[in-house]
Structure formats: structure tokens, C-alpha cells
Amino acid sequence: MNFKHISRIAGLSLVVAISSCTRHAGEPVSRAVLYNNETDVDTDGYVFFKLLHEKAKFETQLATYVQSAPASSAAKELAAKVIETYEGMIPELESLAEAHFVVLPDPGMPGFSVPHHFSTDSLGSFSSEAYIAHVQHEQGTILEQLRRAERNTAKTLRTYAHEKLPAVEEVFALSGGKADHGAHH
């Protein structure tokens, strides 16, 4: 091959490579976002969105179930607080995630089903203590994600996490969790 053919092939390859990742007329975002699932946040931000959304949906649905189950008044009070805290958070997370090109809800996310250890047994009893312990554990996980998001590179995530942290800490305390003041410094 002569230099003329090599330079044409190189030029064509360069044009294809550049045009495949740029935004074209009529496209709302770049092709890297459209075709490569590229997001506008780092890995911590991506995990934050996916995990917090999944937990918020599950905990809200489980709390709704607990409201109708033969649970103790303490468990029902906690479930009401969980619903109050997370029900409004779900559409906020979806909207914020959309702004950062993260797809929520996850298309592969299974539908809600009550875990076997929370369903009422044949005698109609429900383990309120197990539910309260579950909420406490999950709030600890969510608190950790919110604290990580407070240090994220995306300002919108830092602001959102800072706003939601007090409400989640309140649910954590209501479930019997103790704040570890030295853990997040």
C-alpha cells in the first residue's frame, strides 16, 4: 500500500472514532451516554444511586406490609416512620439519577415479595423484634452510603446526602441504633 491509501484509512478511522462519541444534531446527549451507558457520576455515585433506590423501595414496601401485619405498636410506628422517610425519596432519587444519566429503577430488579422470615406464620404471629432489627441494620447501611455521598465529587450528591442524613439518622435511632460519633470523622 502506498502512503495515499494508508492516510485515507487512518483519516476515515479517525472520523468514525470521533463521530461515534460526540453529540449529533437532534440527540439530547452524547453517543457515549446513549450506547455505552456512561454516567455523569463516579463509581461511588453510581453505587449510591443504585443501592439507595433499591433499599428505599424495598424498605417502603416492607413497611407497608408491616402496617397490615399483626405486628407490635413499636414495629408499626417504626414502619410508619420508614414510609414517611423513604416514600418521597424514591422519586427524588429517580429524578436526580436521570440528571446524572443513571437508569433507575434497575430494569433487572425483581418485584417485591415478603421475605419468609417476615411473613406471618400459620398461627398469625409476626416477629416484630426481627423487623426492628432488620430496619436498624438496613439504616446503618444507608447511613454509610449517605456519609460516603457527602464526600462525593458531584456537588448535587453531596447536597442531597446532607439533606437526607438527619431523617435517616432519626429512623436509625428509632430502631434502637446508636450513633457512632467517631466512625465518620
Side-chain angles (χ1 to χ4, degrees):
M1 276 192 186
N2 61 18
F3 180 72
K4 189 176 184 183
H5 290 305
I6 292 174
S7 61
R8 283 184 186 170
I9 291 172
L12 182 61
S13 298
L14 183 63
V15 167
V16 169
I18 290 173
S19 67
S20 67
C21 295
T22 60
R23 182 184 299 188
H24 294 275
E27 291 180 346
V29 294
S30 72
R31 290 186 174 198
V33 172
L34 289 174
Y35 300 127
N36 299 336
N37 296 327
E38 187 176 286
T39 65
D40 198 19
V41 291
D42 58 9
T43 303
D44 277 345
Y46 182 81
V47 169
F48 169 79
F49 280 125
K50 292 293 188 171
L51 187 111
L52 197 61
H53 185 263
E54 179 183 321
K55 293 215 178 277
K57 282 189 79 155
F58 180 80
E59 293 305 316
T60 302
Q61 292 169 333
L62 183 59
T64 303
Y65 170 76
V66 170
Q67 291 284 11
S68 64
S72 69
S73 61
K76 288 188 179 202
E77 179 185 339
L78 180 59
K81 188 65 178 171
V82 167
I83 292 170
E84 176 188 328
T85 302
Y86 293 111
E87 198 168 46
M89 198 182 288
I90 296 168
E92 292 172 356
L93 281 167
E94 289 172 357
S95 175
L96 188 58
E98 183 179 337
H100 289 286
F101 309 116
V102 177
V103 177
L104 291 180
D106 195 348
M109 193 170 161
F112 175 75
S113 64
V114 178
H116 70 282
H117 54 281
F118 290 124
S119 19
T120 54
D121 60 14
S122 60
L123 300 175
S125 63
F126 177 82
S127 177
S128 296
E129 297 79 23
Y131 173 70
I132 293 170
H134 166 80
V135 170
Q136 182 181 349
H137 177 266
E138 294 303 313
Q139 298 317 298
T141 304
I142 293 169
L143 282 172
E144 178 184 337
Q145 282 300 314
L146 286 170
R147 288 182 182 128
R148 288 178 68 106
E150 275 190 314
R151 298 183 309 268
N152 195 282
T153 56
K155 184 177 181 183
T156 54
L157 284 183
R158 289 193 311 263
T159 304
Y160 185 78
H162 186 70
E163 289 173 1
K164 298 303 176 184
L165 200 56
V168 176
E169 286 173 338
E170 187 178 335
V171 174
F172 184 64
L174 188 62
S175 67
K178 305 280 188 267
D180 186 7
H181 296 290
H184 59 279
H185 294 292

